[in-house]
C-alpha cells in the first residue's frame, strides 16, 4: 500500500478532466465577491443546506393542506380527489387572490402571462384585466411565490378556483379561497405532522450530498466562522442536519461541530427588522433560539460586508439581509441545474432563434429605409409637378414602383421570419414549462424574479456543495459592467 493509496485520502485526487467545472457546479457571481475579506458565512437550512426531494415533498404539502381544508374548513371532499401537478407552477410567480389568477411579471412588474385557476389567459383577456401598467404586488390580496415551499400553495389555490368556478366548492369569493389556502399551508408546516413524516422517512425526502460536508469543512479550515440561521425549530433542525452531516468526519462527529453559532426559530425576515433577545438552548452550547442581526454580528465579531449569507428566499434571506444588515448574499437556486440542462439541450434552437430575430430586425430596417425613399419620391413628384419633363416623371414613377415592390417583398419576408420565430419560441419555452416558460426570462425580457436576483444577490448557485470547488480566500469576479457600445470591443 503506497502513500497515495486512496484509503489515505480524505477525497480522491482531481483528474485532469475536472479542472473545468460543469455549468451546474459553478457559482455565478453578479458582483465581485472577495472571499478573503469575508469573516463569517451563514446558511439557511430548508432548501439550502437541506435540499428536499421534489416534487414528492410538494405533493405531501398539497395533500396535507387539502385534508385540513376539508376537515377543518368544511370544503367538499371533491378537493381530495385533485391530483398534484408538479409542472403547473414555478418560482417567481405572483398570486392574485382577489381575482383567482396566477401571474408572471417581467422586470418592469408588468403581467406577461397569467392563468385563471388552471386555465391560461389569452393576451386580450390579460390586457383587459391588468393592462400594461406596473403592478404593485404589495397591495391587498397579492402573494409572491418566492420560495419552493410556496409552489404547492399556488397549485392548490388554482385547483380551488377551478372548483369554485365549476360549482364543486363553496366560498364567498376568490379572496376567501386565498386566505384559507394560506392558513392550510402554514398549518401543514407548523402543526408538526408534515415534519414528523419527513423525519420518519428522511432517507427518502432528504437526499444526501457528499460535497456538503467537504464544502463546510473547507470553509471552516480556511478560518471562516460558520453560522446557521434558520426559521425551523430545534427538533426539526437537529433531525435534518443530523441526517445530512453526522458521522461524516471524525474531526466533526456531530453536525453542530461545523458551526460556530446556531440560531433556530429565527423568524426571518423579522430577524433583520426587530431586536428580540436570543434564548440559549439548554445542553447545546453556541445554540440559540431567536435573536437579531446586530446580536449575531457581535457574537461572531463580523459585521456588514464581512458577512456572507446563503439562502434560498429572495425576500427573507437575500433582500432583507442585504438592505437591513448590508451582508453579502448568495442565493441558492435549486432549479438552476434543470434550467442549465434545458439551455444546453436547446442551444441549437436558441442560436436559430437569435439568427431569425437578427434577420427579422435587419429586414424591417431595410424595408423602413426603402419605404422612406418611396415617400421622398412621391413628395418630390408632388412638389416639382409641372417642372419635370415627361421622361423625368416616368423615371420617378418607375423608381416608385420598384421601391414599393421591394418594400412589400421585405415586409413579407419579415412577416415570414416573425411567424417562424414565434413557432420556435413557443417550442423552446414550452420545454421549460408549458404554462410559464423559463423561470428567469420571458422571451427577450428578464422576469421579476431574475431582476430581484440581479438587484439583491451578490451571486447565485445551485447547491451549497458546489462551494467546495472554490478557494475560500480567493476573489470570485462578477461580469465586467459594460454599456451597449462597448460590447464589441
Amino acid at each position: 500500500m503506497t502513500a497515495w493509496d486512496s484509503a489515505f485520502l480524505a477525497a480522491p485526487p482531481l483528474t485532469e478532466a475536472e479542472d473545468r467545472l460543469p455549468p451546474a457546479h459553478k457559482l455565478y457571481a453578479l458582483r465581485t465577491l472577495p472571499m478573503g475579506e469575508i469573516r463569517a458565512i451563514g446558511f439557511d437550512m430548508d432548501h439550502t443546506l437541506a435540499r428536499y426531494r421534489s416534487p414528492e415533498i410538494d405533493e405531501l404539502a398539497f395533500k396535507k393542506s387539502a385534508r385540513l381544508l376539508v376537515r377543518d374548513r368544511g370544503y367538499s371532499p371533491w378537493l381530495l380527489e385533485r391530483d398534484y401537478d408538479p409542472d403547473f407552477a414555478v418560482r417567481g410567480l405572483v398570486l392574485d387572490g382577489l381575482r383567482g389568477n396566477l401571474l408572471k411579471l417581467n422586470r418592469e412588474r408588468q403581467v406577461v402571462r397569467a392563468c385563471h385557476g388552471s386555465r391560461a389567459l389569452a393576451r386580450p383577456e390579460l390586457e383587459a384585466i391588468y393592462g400594461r401598467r406596473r403592478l404593485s404586488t404589495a397591495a391587498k390580496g397579492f402573494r409572491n411565490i418566492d420560495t419552493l415551499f410556496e409552489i404547492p400553495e399556488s397549485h392548490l389555490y388554482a385547483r380551488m378556483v377551478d372548483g369554485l368556478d365549476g360549482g364543486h366548492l363553496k366560498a364567498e369569493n376568490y379572496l376567501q379561497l386565498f386566505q384559507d389556502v394560506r392558513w392550510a399551508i402554514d398549518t401543514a408546516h407548523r402543526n408538526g405532522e408534515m415534519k414528523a413524516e419527513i423525519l420518519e422517512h428522511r432517507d427518502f425526502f432528504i437526499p444526501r450530498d457528499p460535497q456538503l460536508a467537504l464544502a463546510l469543512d473547507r470553509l471552516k479550515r480556511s478560518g471562516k466562522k460558520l453560522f446557521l440561521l434558520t426559521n425551523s425549530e430545534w427538533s426539526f433542525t437537529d433531525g435534518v442536519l443530523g441526517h445530512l452531516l453526522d458521522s461524516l468526519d471524525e474531526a466533526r462527529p456531530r453536525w453542530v461541530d461545523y458551526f460556530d453559532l446556531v440560531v433556530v426559530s429565527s423568524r426571518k425576515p423579522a430577524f433583520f427588522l426587530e431586536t428580540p433577545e436570543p434564548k440559549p438552548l439548554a445542553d447545546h452550547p453556541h445554540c440559540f433560539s431567536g435573536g437579531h442581526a446586530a446580536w449575531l454580528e457581535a457574537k461572531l465579531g463580523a459585521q456588514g460586508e464581512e458577512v456572507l449569507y446563503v439562502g434560498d428566499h429572495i425576500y427573507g434571506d437575500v433582500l432583507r439581509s442585504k438592505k437591513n444588515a448590508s451582508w453579502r448574499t448568495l442565493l441558492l437556486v435549486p432549479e438552476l441545474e434543470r434550467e442549465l440542462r434545458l439551455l444546453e439541450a436547446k442551444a441549437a434552437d436558441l442560436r436559430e432563434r437569435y439568427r431569425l430575430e437578427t434577420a427579422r430586425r435587419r429586414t424591417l430596417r431595410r424595408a423602413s429605409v426603402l419605404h422612406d425613399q418611396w415617400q421622398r419620391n412621391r413628395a418630390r413628384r408632388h412638389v416639382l409637378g409641372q417642372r419635370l419633363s415627361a421622361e423625368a416623371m416616368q423615371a420617378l414613377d418607375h423608381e416608385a414602383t420598384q421601391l414599393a415592390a421591394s418594400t412589400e417583398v421585405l415586409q413579407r419576408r419579415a412577416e415570414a421570419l416573425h411567424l417562424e420565430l414565434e413557432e420556435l419560441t413557443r417550442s423552446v419555452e414550452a420545454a421549460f414549462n408549458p404554462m410559464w416558460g423559463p423561470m428567469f426570462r420571458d422571451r427577450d425580457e428578464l422576469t421579476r424574479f431574475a431582476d430581484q436576483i440581479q438587484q439583491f444577490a451578490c451571486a447565485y448557485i445551485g447547491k451549497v456543495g458546489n462551494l467546495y470547488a472554490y478557494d475560500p480566500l480567493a476573489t470570485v469576479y462578477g461580469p465586467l459592467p459594460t454599456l451597449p457600445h462597448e460590447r464589441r470591443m
Side-chain angles (χ1 to χ4, degrees):
M1 185 176 289
T2 69
W4 285 103
D5 192 285
S6 60
F8 285 113
L9 301 177
L14 292 177
T15 65
E16 186 175 344
E18 290 175 305
D19 61 349
R20 289 192 66 177
L21 287 173
H25 294 177
K26 289 184 178 180
L27 182 151
Y28 293 90
L30 295 163
R31 297 164 181 79
T32 296
L33 198 59
M35 294 295 290
E37 298 177 12
I38 292 170
R39 303 178 63 184
I41 302 178
F43 299 90
D44 180 37
M45 182 182 76
D46 297 306
H47 291 297
T48 302
L49 291 176
R51 297 183 65 187
Y52 301 109
R53 188 181 299 279
S54 180
E56 289 82 1
I57 198 167
D58 303 322
E59 184 171 6
L60 180 66
F62 179 91
K63 294 293 188 183
K64 286 191 173 294
S65 299
R67 291 192 196 105
L68 285 169
L69 289 165
V70 172
R71 188 188 71 190
D72 296 351
R73 292 293 167 100
Y75 282 95
S76 167
W78 173 90
L79 190 58
L80 301 179
E81 300 169 6
R82 302 311 99 195
D83 292 328
Y84 178 70
D85 180 1
D87 296 324
F88 173 72
V90 297
R91 196 149 56 121
L93 302 179
V94 174
L95 192 154
D96 180 354
L98 292 173
R99 300 173 181 85
N101 298 339
L102 202 60
L103 316 173
K104 183 179 184 180
L105 308 186
N106 64 15
R107 69 185 305 170
E108 301 302 325
R109 308 317 191 250
Q110 296 168 323
V111 182
V112 290
R113 300 191 191 201
C115 65
H116 178 75
S118 60
R119 178 181 67 85
L121 294 178
R123 189 74 204 180
E125 292 180 280
L126 189 156
E127 292 196 356
I129 300 170
Y130 299 104
R132 295 182 178 271
R133 63 183 180 275
R134 190 181 180 92
L135 195 68
S136 173
T137 58
K140 178 183 177 181
F142 287 98
R143 169 101 170 143
N144 297 317
I145 309 301
D146 285 337
T147 73
L148 292 170
F149 279 132
E150 292 158 341
I151 296 295
E153 175 180 340
S154 60
H155 187 222
L156 181 57
Y157 179 67
R159 289 294 198 191
M160 294 180 71
V161 169
D162 291 343
L164 183 60
D165 289 346
H168 304 292
L169 300 179
K170 294 182 179 179
E172 292 182 8
N173 48 39
Y174 299 124
L175 185 59
Q176 183 187 340
L177 298 181
F178 170 80
Q179 293 166 341
D180 286 346
V181 168
R182 281 269 64 251
W183 167 84
I185 290 287
D186 282 348
T187 302
H189 284 291
R190 290 175 179 169
N191 66 8
E193 288 183 17
M194 186 169 169
K195 290 179 179 178
E197 189 162 344
I198 292 170
L199 292 180
E200 184 180 354
H201 304 285
R202 66 193 78 186
D203 286 327
F204 174 76
F205 282 116
I206 316 172
R208 291 184 176 93
D209 176 9
Q211 292 288 103
L212 176 60
L214 292 173
L216 295 176
D217 177 67
R218 186 179 187 189
L219 291 170
K220 196 162 177 62
R221 285 187 293 103
S222 72
K224 311 294 185 189
K225 290 187 176 180
L226 303 189
F227 66 94
L228 177 73
L229 181 64
T230 176
N231 282 355
S232 289
E233 72 279 4
W234 171 260
S235 59
F236 186 65
T237 301
D238 186 42
V240 171
L241 292 184
H243 166 72
L244 291 175
L245 294 171
D246 280 0
S247 304
L248 294 181
D249 186 339
E250 291 181 357
R252 311 186 200 282
R254 287 277 287 129
W255 70 265
V256 291
D257 299 326
Y258 289 89
F259 300 98
D260 297 274
L261 181 64
V262 171
V263 181
V264 298
S265 302
S266 64
R267 300 160 36 260
K268 293 176 296 179
F271 185 87
F272 301 104
L273 302 169
E274 302 169 4
T275 57
E277 286 300 311
K279 298 177 182 179
L281 299 180
D283 303 321
H284 299 290
H286 312 300
C287 298
F288 297 82
S289 174
H292 55 90
W295 161 80
L296 183 145
E297 290 181 336
K299 195 80 175 170
L300 293 171
Q303 60 181 345
E305 292 193 342
E306 295 175 326
V307 180
L308 172 66
Y309 187 58
V310 187
D312 72 296
H313 194 312
I314 280 283
Y315 182 76
D317 293 333
V318 171
L319 186 151
R320 277 298 148 216
S321 64
K322 169 72 74 175
K323 293 185 72 171
N324 292 84
S326 298
W327 293 357
R328 299 183 192 271
T329 54
L330 176 57
L331 181 71
L332 248 291
V333 186
E335 307 97 325
L336 186 60
E337 185 173 346
R338 178 179 180 273
E339 293 265 328
L340 287 166
R341 187 169 63 249
L342 286 168
L343 284 174
E344 183 177 358
K346 293 294 179 180
D349 286 341
L350 290 169
R351 286 192 295 270
E352 176 63 7
R353 186 180 181 277
Y354 178 79
R355 186 194 70 77
L356 289 170
E357 178 63 13
T358 301
R360 186 188 71 85
R361 294 181 187 183
R362 288 175 176 171
T363 301
L364 285 173
R365 185 169 65 242
R366 178 61 180 159
S368 173
V369 171
L370 291 180
H371 182 67
D372 181 68
Q373 290 176 354
W374 176 85
Q375 288 179 317
R376 292 182 66 211
N377 175 290
R378 296 295 84 189
R380 187 181 180 199
R381 190 184 193 284
H382 175 74
V383 170
L384 296 178
Q386 299 298 324
R387 287 181 288 173
L388 292 176
S389 67
E391 292 80 4
M393 291 282 283
Q394 187 176 8
L396 276 176
D397 290 342
H398 179 69
E399 180 189 55
T401 300
Q402 288 185 318
L403 288 169
S406 297
T407 301
E408 185 178 355
V409 168
L410 289 173
Q411 288 173 337
R412 284 201 302 267
R413 186 184 302 166
E415 180 62 24
L417 288 167
H418 172 73
L419 293 174
E420 189 177 353
L421 181 63
E422 285 292 299
E423 183 177 353
L424 182 59
T425 298
R426 283 193 295 268
S427 172
V428 169
E429 294 191 337
F432 288 84
N433 185 279
M435 178 79 76
W436 306 107
M439 188 170 67
F440 299 99
R441 185 173 294 279
D442 192 81
R443 294 181 176 267
D444 296 325
E445 296 183 291
L446 291 181
T447 60
R448 167 186 165 275
F449 182 70
D451 183 54
Q452 287 181 313
I453 293 176
Q454 283 198 327
Q455 285 189 66
F456 301 113
C458 298
Y460 57 100
I461 198 169
K463 58 181 180 178
V464 172
N466 292 352
L467 290 173
Y468 178 65
Y470 289 84
D471 185 343
L473 301 178
T475 296
V476 183
Y477 292 95
L480 184 68
T482 59
L483 291 169
H485 73 278
E486 300 175 309
R487 290 171 190 167
R488 291 187 178 274
M489 296 177 64

